Amino acid sequence: MYLFNTLTKKKEHFVPLEDDLVRVYVCGVTVYDDGHLGHARSAVVFDVLRRYLIFKGFRVTYVKNYTDIDDKIINRALKENRPWTEIVTQYIEAYARDMHRLKVSKPDVEPRATEHMPEIIDMIAQLVEKGFAYQINGDVYYEVGAYKGYGRLSGRKEEELLAGARVEVDERKKNPMDFALWKASKPGEPGWESPWGSGRPGWHIECSAMSIRHLGRTFDIHGGGRDLVFPHHENEVAQSCAYTGQEFARYWVHNGFVTIDDEKMSKSLGNFFTIKEIFEKSNWKDSVTGETLRYFLLSTHYRSDLNFSDKALSEAKSAVDNLYDLFRRLEESDSTFKGDNDQALERPLKEFEKQFEGAMDDDLNTPRAIAEFQRLRGEINKLLSAGLSNQAKKKAMGSFLKFGAPLGLWQVATKDWEFSPFTVKLSVADSGTVELEESIVIEKGEPSDEWVEQQIQRRREARERKDFAEADKIRKEVESKGVKLEDRPDGTTRWKR
RNA sequence: GGCGCCGUACCCAAGUGGCUAAGGGAGCAGUCUGCAAAACUGCGAUUCAGCGGUUCGAACCCGCUCGGCGCCUCCA
């Protein structure tokens, strides 16, 4: 398998440090607000990386942190006049819920900064001791000039950084690029006792401390959004390598942004909206919304930017609907089965498997992998109309399930799939804020299955006595409630929401 | 200002030196159907922002131009 490594700026053959064990650390979120679609993308991308590694037969230790102490958390607590711990608890729960709805598997370890204070303090102390950091009035700074490899990850030279520096000038720093490892706490702020007085860790040190603690001094993959490359990951590399004297993460993997009107989704632009919002305003049940979002998020290569819109989402939904339509037919036993094309199924399945792995092995090319699924859909549809035994259909369905697993797709029970179109409208208001406007016509869970079955029975009787006007009237009535009827060749009728 | 990414059909999106430029969505036409849906078949880029160069050969390599975006500040 090949992965694009930000460190070397090229695709590299991925080989873990220790035979079949892959150690992965992914930067999680700072828990001071609800997660937005950008967070969803990062989470899904690395979830797929993890799933695919397991699919390939690796064992994976997957660590994803929560940053649970930070200026933004303190500010939010101050603003809302609540304890900061309450903010943290609330948003960790919210994030966990989002992840669950997106079908992102739970990491093996979910460390929190506040639970690693001894390691963090010890690491800073040693950096000071080794001459890579210095203390000023209770603050501790990392001295960029003392480490020769600074800028390696982000591809910057120190002079360039200085030339373009927009960093707030702090006269006390030896170099404007020096960054805080430890921040002295002001009265009333949360603080932990340390050799430099009461304070809290800087943003970057926690990830170094937690990754080293849970994965060792050198581990395989470190991931996160592209915006973390500089300064966050650059700083992590600097402080970690200075601390351990050895290599830190071997492969750095970064995902592209989610954009709105081709601009990065971000808090400051106000063009973001939350994962929670999409689920709550969607007219589908969570499993269907989650699947649609996953499909959408994986339909573009992870390193490219991905533009979000209501149109893009409904296109994704249509594409997934067509797959589930096939799944339903694969699961129906067909009493009119005639031909025998079971043998003809072998070749497309084999070819698909080969292409799927080829795509995924090539730097996690999920758009290509998805295209292969679509191609297979066409092949199987053809065979299906020619006639496939129930056993062959089961086998075909098995392939979708098996190869969909690494993407986290096709796992919704077909009876739970909802075929109704997307009815949530996304709009960017003049103010620059993004809103989801609801235009839901159909209540969730309505009408009842029993009612639909009754109408189908009524319609069948009408059709039998050739009263097509009545039959069409019933169809219209049922459709007005969001249910579509499909007559099958054997005279039975299937229906879908 | 420094560094970097991107520009492929109506929309989304693979492909990055050589078979007919994947796949999806939308559209149109046809087959099937009492009607419909689904499915299937056909149609759709002589062309990959533009110009120039390298090469036997380029969407893919190089240069310039135009357009869009990102990082350099908290950010997935």
Side-chain angles (χ1 to χ4, degrees), chain A residues 72 166-167 203 225 228 258 264-265 301 311 322 368 375 472 475 487:
Chain A
K72 287 195 288 294
R166 285 195 275 158
V167 186
W203 176 35
L228 296 183
V258 175
K264 182 185 174 187
M265 182 181 284
H301 185 86
K311 183 165 169 280
N322 291 333
R368 239 172 81 200
R375 197 195 301 272
D472 290 350
R475 175 195 287 286
D487 296 330

Short mmCIF file of all heavy atoms in Angstrom, two decimals, chain A residues 72 166-167 203 225 228 258 264-265 301 311 322 368 375 472 475 487, chain B residues 11 14-15 22-25 34-36 41 71-76:
data_model
loop_
_atom_site.label_atom_id
_atom_site.label_comp_id
_atom_site.label_asym_id
_atom_site.label_seq_id
_atom_site.Cartn_x
_atom_site.Cartn_y
_atom_site.Cartn_z
N LYS A 72 -9.55 28.56 24.20
CA LYS A 72 -10.92 28.67 23.66
C LYS A 72 -11.93 28.07 24.62
O LYS A 72 -13.07 28.55 24.72
CB LYS A 72 -11.00 27.98 22.29
CG LYS A 72 -10.31 28.78 21.20
CD LYS A 72 -10.69 28.31 19.81
CE LYS A 72 -10.09 26.98 19.45
NZ LYS A 72 -8.62 26.98 19.34
N ARG A 166 3.64 36.78 10.86
CA ARG A 166 2.56 37.64 11.31
C ARG A 166 2.31 37.35 12.78
O ARG A 166 1.29 37.70 13.34
CB ARG A 166 1.28 37.34 10.51
CG ARG A 166 1.35 37.90 9.11
CD ARG A 166 -0.01 37.92 8.49
NE ARG A 166 -0.34 36.64 7.86
CZ ARG A 166 -1.59 36.26 7.64
NH1 ARG A 166 -2.59 37.01 7.99
NH2 ARG A 166 -1.83 35.11 7.07
N VAL A 167 3.27 36.63 13.34
CA VAL A 167 3.13 36.26 14.73
C VAL A 167 3.21 37.51 15.61
O VAL A 167 4.03 38.38 15.38
CB VAL A 167 4.25 35.28 15.14
CG1 VAL A 167 4.04 34.77 16.55
CG2 VAL A 167 4.33 34.13 14.16
N TRP A 203 -0.55 24.31 23.19
CA TRP A 203 -1.36 23.44 22.35
C TRP A 203 -0.61 22.22 21.82
O TRP A 203 -1.13 21.11 21.79
CB TRP A 203 -1.91 24.26 21.19
CG TRP A 203 -2.70 23.48 20.19
CD1 TRP A 203 -3.51 22.41 20.44
CD2 TRP A 203 -2.74 23.69 18.79
NE1 TRP A 203 -4.07 21.95 19.28
CE2 TRP A 203 -3.61 22.73 18.24
CE3 TRP A 203 -2.15 24.63 17.92
CZ2 TRP A 203 -3.89 22.67 16.87
CZ3 TRP A 203 -2.44 24.57 16.57
CH2 TRP A 203 -3.29 23.59 16.06
N GLY A 225 -5.88 17.28 9.73
CA GLY A 225 -6.25 18.16 8.62
C GLY A 225 -5.04 18.91 8.11
O GLY A 225 -4.06 19.09 8.83
N LEU A 228 -3.21 21.69 9.90
CA LEU A 228 -2.40 21.43 11.09
C LEU A 228 -0.92 21.28 10.77
O LEU A 228 -0.08 21.25 11.67
CB LEU A 228 -2.88 20.15 11.80
CG LEU A 228 -4.30 20.20 12.36
CD1 LEU A 228 -4.60 18.89 13.09
CD2 LEU A 228 -4.47 21.36 13.32
N VAL A 258 -12.97 20.86 3.68
CA VAL A 258 -14.33 20.95 3.16
C VAL A 258 -14.56 22.42 2.89
O VAL A 258 -14.23 23.27 3.72
CB VAL A 258 -15.36 20.43 4.18
CG1 VAL A 258 -16.78 20.66 3.65
CG2 VAL A 258 -15.14 18.95 4.46
N LYS A 264 -12.76 27.72 2.27
CA LYS A 264 -12.60 26.83 3.40
C LYS A 264 -13.69 27.06 4.45
O LYS A 264 -13.97 28.19 4.84
CB LYS A 264 -11.24 27.08 4.05
CG LYS A 264 -10.94 26.16 5.22
CD LYS A 264 -9.63 26.54 5.89
CE LYS A 264 -9.41 25.72 7.14
NZ LYS A 264 -8.24 26.18 7.89
N MET A 265 -14.29 25.96 4.88
CA MET A 265 -15.28 26.03 5.93
C MET A 265 -14.56 26.36 7.24
O MET A 265 -13.64 25.66 7.64
CB MET A 265 -15.98 24.67 6.05
CG MET A 265 -17.07 24.63 7.08
SD MET A 265 -17.84 22.99 7.19
CE MET A 265 -18.86 22.98 5.73
N HIS A 301 -11.01 12.42 -3.50
CA HIS A 301 -9.79 11.94 -2.85
C HIS A 301 -9.50 12.76 -1.59
O HIS A 301 -9.71 13.96 -1.57
CB HIS A 301 -8.60 12.02 -3.81
CG HIS A 301 -7.36 11.42 -3.23
ND1 HIS A 301 -7.08 10.07 -3.31
CD2 HIS A 301 -6.37 11.97 -2.50
CE1 HIS A 301 -5.95 9.83 -2.67
NE2 HIS A 301 -5.50 10.97 -2.17
N LYS A 311 -26.92 20.39 -3.20
CA LYS A 311 -26.96 19.68 -4.48
C LYS A 311 -25.98 18.51 -4.46
O LYS A 311 -26.31 17.39 -4.88
CB LYS A 311 -26.60 20.64 -5.60
CG LYS A 311 -26.68 20.04 -6.99
CD LYS A 311 -26.68 21.14 -8.06
CE LYS A 311 -26.49 20.58 -9.44
NZ LYS A 311 -25.09 20.25 -9.77
N ASN A 322 -29.24 4.05 -5.79
CA ASN A 322 -29.16 3.06 -6.86
C ASN A 322 -28.46 1.78 -6.41
O ASN A 322 -28.81 0.70 -6.87
CB ASN A 322 -28.46 3.67 -8.07
CG ASN A 322 -29.34 4.73 -8.73
OD1 ASN A 322 -30.56 4.68 -8.63
ND2 ASN A 322 -28.72 5.70 -9.36
N ARG A 368 -11.97 6.22 -6.78
CA ARG A 368 -11.81 5.12 -7.73
C ARG A 368 -12.45 3.86 -7.18
O ARG A 368 -13.09 3.10 -7.92
CB ARG A 368 -10.31 4.88 -7.95
CG ARG A 368 -9.89 5.04 -9.39
CD ARG A 368 -8.38 4.97 -9.53
NE ARG A 368 -7.86 3.61 -9.54
CZ ARG A 368 -6.59 3.30 -9.27
NH1 ARG A 368 -5.74 4.25 -8.96
NH2 ARG A 368 -6.20 2.06 -9.29
N ARG A 375 -19.37 0.29 -11.10
CA ARG A 375 -19.19 -0.54 -12.28
C ARG A 375 -19.73 -1.95 -12.01
O ARG A 375 -20.43 -2.53 -12.83
CB ARG A 375 -17.70 -0.62 -12.63
CG ARG A 375 -17.42 -1.10 -14.05
CD ARG A 375 -15.97 -1.50 -14.21
NE ARG A 375 -15.05 -0.40 -13.93
CZ ARG A 375 -14.65 0.47 -14.86
NH1 ARG A 375 -15.10 0.36 -16.08
NH2 ARG A 375 -13.81 1.44 -14.55
N ASP A 472 -54.49 3.57 -10.24
CA ASP A 472 -53.63 4.75 -10.33
C ASP A 472 -53.92 5.75 -9.24
O ASP A 472 -53.04 6.46 -8.76
CB ASP A 472 -53.79 5.42 -11.71
CG ASP A 472 -53.18 4.56 -12.82
OD1 ASP A 472 -52.49 3.58 -12.47
OD2 ASP A 472 -53.40 4.87 -14.00
N ARG A 475 -52.11 4.54 -6.27
CA ARG A 475 -50.68 4.83 -6.41
C ARG A 475 -50.40 6.29 -6.05
O ARG A 475 -49.46 6.60 -5.32
CB ARG A 475 -50.22 4.55 -7.84
CG ARG A 475 -48.76 4.96 -8.08
CD ARG A 475 -48.39 5.01 -9.56
NE ARG A 475 -48.28 3.71 -10.19
CZ ARG A 475 -47.26 2.86 -9.99
NH1 ARG A 475 -46.29 3.18 -9.17
NH2 ARG A 475 -47.22 1.70 -10.60
N ASP A 487 -44.13 -2.42 -9.46
CA ASP A 487 -44.70 -3.72 -9.78
C ASP A 487 -43.61 -4.61 -10.34
O ASP A 487 -42.81 -4.19 -11.17
CB ASP A 487 -45.81 -3.54 -10.83
CG ASP A 487 -46.95 -2.72 -10.27
OD1 ASP A 487 -47.18 -2.78 -9.04
OD2 ASP A 487 -47.59 -1.99 -11.05
P C B 11 -20.41 22.55 -15.86
OP1 C B 11 -19.88 23.85 -15.40
OP2 C B 11 -19.53 21.61 -16.59
"O5'" C B 11 -21.02 21.78 -14.61
"C5'" C B 11 -21.77 22.49 -13.61
"C4'" C B 11 -22.12 21.52 -12.51
"O4'" C B 11 -22.96 20.47 -13.04
"C3'" C B 11 -20.94 20.76 -11.92
"O3'" C B 11 -20.25 21.51 -10.94
"C2'" C B 11 -21.65 19.56 -11.30
"O2'" C B 11 -22.32 19.89 -10.12
"C1'" C B 11 -22.68 19.24 -12.39
N1 C B 11 -22.16 18.28 -13.39
C2 C B 11 -22.09 16.93 -13.03
O2 C B 11 -22.44 16.60 -11.90
N3 C B 11 -21.63 16.03 -13.94
C4 C B 11 -21.25 16.43 -15.14
N4 C B 11 -20.81 15.50 -15.99
C5 C B 11 -21.30 17.80 -15.54
C6 C B 11 -21.76 18.68 -14.63
P A B 14 -11.08 13.38 -7.44
OP1 A B 14 -10.54 13.33 -6.09
OP2 A B 14 -10.65 14.42 -8.41
"O5'" A B 14 -10.89 11.95 -8.10
"C5'" A B 14 -9.75 11.68 -8.88
"C4'" A B 14 -9.89 10.30 -9.44
"O4'" A B 14 -11.02 10.27 -10.34
"C3'" A B 14 -8.71 9.88 -10.28
"O3'" A B 14 -7.70 9.34 -9.45
"C2'" A B 14 -9.34 8.86 -11.22
"O2'" A B 14 -9.50 7.62 -10.57
"C1'" A B 14 -10.70 9.48 -11.48
N9 A B 14 -10.74 10.34 -12.66
C8 A B 14 -10.93 11.69 -12.71
N7 A B 14 -10.94 12.18 -13.93
C5 A B 14 -10.74 11.08 -14.73
C6 A B 14 -10.65 10.92 -16.12
N6 A B 14 -10.76 11.92 -16.99
N1 A B 14 -10.44 9.67 -16.60
C2 A B 14 -10.33 8.65 -15.73
N3 A B 14 -10.40 8.67 -14.40
C4 A B 14 -10.61 9.93 -13.96
P G B 15 -6.24 9.91 -9.56
OP1 G B 15 -5.42 9.10 -8.63
OP2 G B 15 -6.26 11.36 -9.48
"O5'" G B 15 -5.84 9.49 -11.06
"C5'" G B 15 -5.89 8.14 -11.46
"C4'" G B 15 -5.87 8.08 -12.96
"O4'" G B 15 -7.00 8.79 -13.49
"C3'" G B 15 -4.67 8.76 -13.61
"O3'" G B 15 -3.63 7.81 -13.71
"C2'" G B 15 -5.19 9.14 -14.99
"O2'" G B 15 -5.10 8.09 -15.92
"C1'" G B 15 -6.66 9.44 -14.70
N9 G B 15 -6.97 10.86 -14.57
C8 G B 15 -7.10 11.58 -13.41
N7 G B 15 -7.41 12.84 -13.62
C5 G B 15 -7.49 12.95 -15.00
C6 G B 15 -7.80 14.06 -15.83
O6 G B 15 -8.07 15.21 -15.49
N1 G B 15 -7.77 13.73 -17.19
C2 G B 15 -7.49 12.48 -17.67
N2 G B 15 -7.51 12.35 -19.00
N3 G B 15 -7.21 11.44 -16.92
C4 G B 15 -7.23 11.74 -15.61
P A B 22 -13.02 6.81 -21.19
OP1 A B 22 -13.33 5.52 -21.81
OP2 A B 22 -13.87 7.98 -21.44
"O5'" A B 22 -12.96 6.63 -19.61
"C5'" A B 22 -14.12 6.26 -18.89
"C4'" A B 22 -13.69 5.35 -17.78
"O4'" A B 22 -12.68 6.01 -16.99
"C3'" A B 22 -14.78 5.03 -16.80
"O3'" A B 22 -15.58 3.97 -17.29
"C2'" A B 22 -13.98 4.65 -15.57
"O2'" A B 22 -13.42 3.37 -15.70
"C1'" A B 22 -12.88 5.70 -15.63
N9 A B 22 -13.24 6.94 -14.92
C8 A B 22 -13.53 8.17 -15.45
N7 A B 22 -13.82 9.08 -14.55
C5 A B 22 -13.72 8.39 -13.34
C6 A B 22 -13.91 8.80 -12.01
N6 A B 22 -14.23 10.04 -11.67
N1 A B 22 -13.74 7.87 -11.04
C2 A B 22 -13.41 6.62 -11.41
N3 A B 22 -13.20 6.13 -12.62
C4 A B 22 -13.37 7.07 -13.55
P G B 23 -17.15 4.24 -17.53
OP1 G B 23 -17.74 2.99 -18.01
OP2 G B 23 -17.32 5.49 -18.31
"O5'" G B 23 -17.64 4.53 -16.05
"C5'" G B 23 -17.48 3.53 -15.05
"C4'" G B 23 -17.73 4.15 -13.71
"O4'" G B 23 -16.67 5.09 -13.39
"C3'" G B 23 -18.99 5.00 -13.61
"O3'" G B 23 -20.15 4.21 -13.47
"C2'" G B 23 -18.67 5.82 -12.37
"O2'" G B 23 -18.78 5.05 -11.19
"C1'" G B 23 -17.21 6.17 -12.64
N9 G B 23 -17.14 7.39 -13.46
C8 G B 23 -16.90 7.49 -14.80
N7 G B 23 -16.96 8.72 -15.25
C5 G B 23 -17.26 9.48 -14.13
C6 G B 23 -17.44 10.89 -14.00
O6 G B 23 -17.39 11.76 -14.87
N1 G B 23 -17.73 11.24 -12.67
C2 G B 23 -17.81 10.36 -11.63
N2 G B 23 -18.10 10.90 -10.43
N3 G B 23 -17.64 9.04 -11.74
C4 G B 23 -17.36 8.68 -13.01
P G B 24 -21.54 4.79 -13.97
OP1 G B 24 -22.53 3.69 -13.92
OP2 G B 24 -21.34 5.52 -15.23
"O5'" G B 24 -21.90 5.84 -12.84
"C5'" G B 24 -22.02 5.42 -11.49
"C4'" G B 24 -22.19 6.62 -10.61
"O4'" G B 24 -21.05 7.49 -10.75
"C3'" G B 24 -23.37 7.51 -10.95
"O3'" G B 24 -24.57 6.99 -10.40
"C2'" G B 24 -22.96 8.81 -10.28
"O2'" G B 24 -23.10 8.74 -8.88
"C1'" G B 24 -21.46 8.84 -10.62
N9 G B 24 -21.22 9.54 -11.90
C8 G B 24 -20.84 8.98 -13.10
N7 G B 24 -20.72 9.87 -14.05
C5 G B 24 -21.02 11.07 -13.46
C6 G B 24 -21.05 12.39 -13.98
O6 G B 24 -20.81 12.76 -15.14
N1 G B 24 -21.43 13.33 -13.03
C2 G B 24 -21.73 13.04 -11.72
N2 G B 24 -22.07 14.07 -10.95
N3 G B 24 -21.69 11.81 -11.21
C4 G B 24 -21.34 10.89 -12.12
P G B 25 -25.93 7.28 -11.13
OP1 G B 25 -26.98 6.55 -10.37
OP2 G B 25 -25.77 7.04 -12.59
"O5'" G B 25 -26.12 8.84 -10.92
"C5'" G B 25 -26.36 9.36 -9.61
"C4'" G B 25 -26.47 10.86 -9.68
"O4'" G B 25 -25.21 11.41 -10.15
"C3'" G B 25 -27.47 11.40 -10.68
"O3'" G B 25 -28.79 11.36 -10.16
"C2'" G B 25 -26.98 12.83 -10.85
"O2'" G B 25 -27.31 13.64 -9.75
"C1'" G B 25 -25.46 12.60 -10.88
N9 G B 25 -25.00 12.43 -12.25
C8 G B 25 -24.61 11.27 -12.87
N7 G B 25 -24.25 11.46 -14.12
C5 G B 25 -24.39 12.81 -14.32
C6 G B 25 -24.16 13.61 -15.47
O6 G B 25 -23.74 13.26 -16.59
N1 G B 25 -24.45 14.95 -15.26
C2 G B 25 -24.91 15.47 -14.08
N2 G B 25 -25.13 16.79 -14.04
N3 G B 25 -25.13 14.74 -12.98
C4 G B 25 -24.86 13.43 -13.17
P G B 34 -48.45 -4.94 -18.86
OP1 G B 34 -49.24 -5.66 -17.85
OP2 G B 34 -48.17 -5.60 -20.15
"O5'" G B 34 -49.15 -3.53 -19.14
"C5'" G B 34 -50.00 -3.40 -20.27
"C4'" G B 34 -50.96 -2.28 -20.05
"O4'" G B 34 -51.84 -2.59 -18.94
"C3'" G B 34 -50.32 -0.95 -19.62
"O3'" G B 34 -49.80 -0.25 -20.72
"C2'" G B 34 -51.52 -0.25 -19.01
"O2'" G B 34 -52.39 0.28 -20.00
"C1'" G B 34 -52.21 -1.39 -18.29
N9 G B 34 -51.81 -1.46 -16.88
C8 G B 34 -51.14 -2.46 -16.24
N7 G B 34 -50.95 -2.22 -14.98
C5 G B 34 -51.52 -0.99 -14.77
C6 G B 34 -51.63 -0.21 -13.59
O6 G B 34 -51.21 -0.46 -12.45
N1 G B 34 -52.29 1.00 -13.83
C2 G B 34 -52.79 1.39 -15.03
N2 G B 34 -53.39 2.57 -15.05
N3 G B 34 -52.71 0.67 -16.14
C4 G B 34 -52.06 -0.50 -15.94
P C B 35 -48.36 0.42 -20.64
OP1 C B 35 -48.15 1.14 -21.89
OP2 C B 35 -47.40 -0.62 -20.21
"O5'" C B 35 -48.56 1.47 -19.46
"C5'" C B 35 -49.30 2.68 -19.70
"C4'" C B 35 -49.47 3.44 -18.42
"O4'" C B 35 -50.01 2.58 -17.39
"C3'" C B 35 -48.18 3.94 -17.77
"O3'" C B 35 -47.70 5.11 -18.41
"C2'" C B 35 -48.68 4.26 -16.36
"O2'" C B 35 -49.39 5.47 -16.29
"C1'" C B 35 -49.64 3.09 -16.12
N1 C B 35 -49.03 2.02 -15.32
C2 C B 35 -48.87 2.24 -13.94
O2 C B 35 -49.25 3.31 -13.45
N3 C B 35 -48.31 1.27 -13.18
C4 C B 35 -47.92 0.13 -13.73
N4 C B 35 -47.38 -0.79 -12.95
C5 C B 35 -48.07 -0.12 -15.14
C6 C B 35 -48.62 0.85 -15.89
P A B 36 -46.11 5.24 -18.64
OP1 A B 36 -45.90 6.63 -19.10
OP2 A B 36 -45.66 4.11 -19.45
"O5'" A B 36 -45.50 5.09 -17.16
"C5'" A B 36 -45.54 6.19 -16.26
"C4'" A B 36 -45.23 5.75 -14.85
"O4'" A B 36 -45.93 4.53 -14.52
"C3'" A B 36 -43.79 5.37 -14.54
"O3'" A B 36 -42.97 6.52 -14.42
"C2'" A B 36 -43.98 4.70 -13.18
"O2'" A B 36 -44.25 5.64 -12.17
"C1'" A B 36 -45.27 3.90 -13.43
N9 A B 36 -44.95 2.51 -13.80
C8 A B 36 -44.96 1.92 -15.03
N7 A B 36 -44.63 0.65 -15.02
C5 A B 36 -44.36 0.39 -13.69
C6 A B 36 -43.95 -0.77 -13.00
N6 A B 36 -43.73 -1.93 -13.61
N1 A B 36 -43.78 -0.69 -11.67
C2 A B 36 -44.00 0.49 -11.07
N3 A B 36 -44.40 1.65 -11.60
C4 A B 36 -44.56 1.52 -12.92
P U B 41 -26.32 -1.71 -20.48
OP1 U B 41 -25.07 -2.46 -20.72
OP2 U B 41 -26.32 -0.51 -19.60
"O5'" U B 41 -26.94 -1.29 -21.88
"C5'" U B 41 -27.08 -2.25 -22.92
"C4'" U B 41 -27.72 -1.59 -24.12
"O4'" U B 41 -29.08 -1.22 -23.81
"C3'" U B 41 -27.08 -0.26 -24.53
"O3'" U B 41 -25.90 -0.46 -25.27
"C2'" U B 41 -28.20 0.35 -25.35
"O2'" U B 41 -28.30 -0.21 -26.63
"C1'" U B 41 -29.42 -0.02 -24.51
N1 U B 41 -29.78 1.02 -23.52
C2 U B 41 -30.50 2.11 -23.98
O2 U B 41 -30.84 2.25 -25.16
N3 U B 41 -30.81 3.06 -23.03
C4 U B 41 -30.47 3.02 -21.69
O4 U B 41 -30.83 3.93 -20.97
C5 U B 41 -29.73 1.86 -21.30
C6 U B 41 -29.41 0.92 -22.21
P C B 71 -6.13 28.58 5.29
OP1 C B 71 -6.84 28.06 6.47
OP2 C B 71 -6.31 29.98 4.85
"O5'" C B 71 -4.57 28.33 5.48
"C5'" C B 71 -4.10 27.08 5.98
"C4'" C B 71 -2.60 27.10 6.01
"O4'" C B 71 -2.09 27.22 4.65
"C3'" C B 71 -1.97 28.30 6.70
"O3'" C B 71 -1.98 28.17 8.12
"C2'" C B 71 -0.57 28.28 6.12
"O2'" C B 71 0.20 27.23 6.65
"C1'" C B 71 -0.88 27.97 4.66
N1 C B 71 -1.08 29.21 3.88
C2 C B 71 0.07 29.89 3.42
O2 C B 71 1.18 29.43 3.70
N3 C B 71 -0.08 31.03 2.71
C4 C B 71 -1.31 31.49 2.44
N4 C B 71 -1.40 32.61 1.72
C5 C B 71 -2.48 30.83 2.90
C6 C B 71 -2.32 29.71 3.61
P C B 72 -2.17 29.47 8.95
OP1 C B 72 -2.25 29.01 10.33
OP2 C B 72 -3.20 30.36 8.39
"O5'" C B 72 -0.76 30.21 8.74
"C5'" C B 72 0.44 29.55 9.14
"C4'" C B 72 1.61 30.34 8.68
"O4'" C B 72 1.58 30.50 7.24
"C3'" C B 72 1.68 31.77 9.17
"O3'" C B 72 2.17 31.80 10.51
"C2'" C B 72 2.67 32.38 8.20
"O2'" C B 72 4.00 32.03 8.49
"C1'" C B 72 2.25 31.69 6.89
N1 C B 72 1.34 32.55 6.10
C2 C B 72 1.93 33.50 5.26
O2 C B 72 3.16 33.58 5.22
N3 C B 72 1.13 34.30 4.52
C4 C B 72 -0.20 34.19 4.61
N4 C B 72 -0.94 35.01 3.87
C5 C B 72 -0.82 33.23 5.47
C6 C B 72 -0.02 32.43 6.18
P U B 73 1.86 33.01 11.46
OP1 U B 73 1.31 34.16 10.75
OP2 U B 73 3.09 33.13 12.25
"O5'" U B 73 0.75 32.34 12.38
"C5'" U B 73 0.70 32.66 13.79
"C4'" U B 73 -0.74 32.83 14.18
"O4'" U B 73 -1.31 33.88 13.37
"C3'" U B 73 -1.61 31.62 13.83
"O3'" U B 73 -1.56 30.60 14.84
"C2'" U B 73 -3.00 32.24 13.71
"O2'" U B 73 -3.70 32.32 14.91
"C1'" U B 73 -2.69 33.65 13.21
N1 U B 73 -3.09 33.85 11.82
C2 U B 73 -4.45 33.99 11.58
O2 U B 73 -5.29 33.89 12.46
N3 U B 73 -4.79 34.22 10.28
C4 U B 73 -3.93 34.34 9.20
O4 U B 73 -4.39 34.55 8.09
C5 U B 73 -2.53 34.18 9.54
C6 U B 73 -2.17 33.96 10.80
P C B 74 -1.71 30.59 16.31
OP1 C B 74 -2.15 31.93 16.69
OP2 C B 74 -0.51 29.97 16.90
"O5'" C B 74 -2.91 29.59 16.53
"C5'" C B 74 -3.47 29.43 17.83
"C4'" C B 74 -4.91 29.05 17.70
"O4'" C B 74 -5.65 30.11 17.04
"C3'" C B 74 -5.22 27.87 16.78
"O3'" C B 74 -4.91 26.65 17.41
"C2'" C B 74 -6.71 28.04 16.58
"O2'" C B 74 -7.44 27.59 17.69
"C1'" C B 74 -6.81 29.57 16.48
N1 C B 74 -6.93 29.98 15.08
C2 C B 74 -8.21 30.06 14.52
O2 C B 74 -9.19 29.78 15.23
N3 C B 74 -8.35 30.45 13.23
C4 C B 74 -7.27 30.73 12.50
N4 C B 74 -7.47 31.10 11.24
C5 C B 74 -5.96 30.65 13.04
C6 C B 74 -5.83 30.28 14.32
P C B 75 -4.65 25.35 16.52
OP1 C B 75 -4.69 24.23 17.44
OP2 C B 75 -3.41 25.61 15.76
"O5'" C B 75 -5.82 25.21 15.46
"C5'" C B 75 -6.84 24.24 15.66
"C4'" C B 75 -7.98 24.52 14.72
"O4'" C B 75 -7.86 25.87 14.23
"C3'" C B 75 -8.01 23.70 13.43
"O3'" C B 75 -8.68 22.46 13.49
"C2'" C B 75 -8.79 24.58 12.49
"O2'" C B 75 -10.19 24.40 12.54
"C1'" C B 75 -8.46 25.96 12.95
N1 C B 75 -7.59 26.73 12.04
C2 C B 75 -8.21 27.29 10.92
O2 C B 75 -9.42 27.10 10.74
N3 C B 75 -7.46 28.03 10.07
C4 C B 75 -6.17 28.22 10.30
N4 C B 75 -5.48 28.96 9.43
C5 C B 75 -5.51 27.64 11.42
C6 C B 75 -6.26 26.90 12.26
P A B 76 -9.71 21.99 14.73
OP1 A B 76 -10.97 22.66 15.02
OP2 A B 76 -8.77 21.71 15.80
"O5'" A B 76 -10.13 20.71 13.88
"C5'" A B 76 -9.76 19.40 14.23
"C4'" A B 76 -9.37 18.74 12.92
"O4'" A B 76 -10.46 18.88 12.00
"C3'" A B 76 -8.22 19.44 12.24
"O3'" A B 76 -6.99 18.96 12.73
"C2'" A B 76 -8.45 19.11 10.77
"O2'" A B 76 -7.93 17.86 10.43
"C1'" A B 76 -9.96 19.05 10.68
N9 A B 76 -10.53 20.26 10.10
C8 A B 76 -10.73 21.48 10.66
N7 A B 76 -11.30 22.37 9.85
C5 A B 76 -11.49 21.66 8.67
C6 A B 76 -12.04 22.02 7.43
N6 A B 76 -12.55 23.22 7.16
N1 A B 76 -12.07 21.08 6.46
C2 A B 76 -11.58 19.88 6.73
N3 A B 76 -11.04 19.42 7.86
C4 A B 76 -11.02 20.37 8.81
#
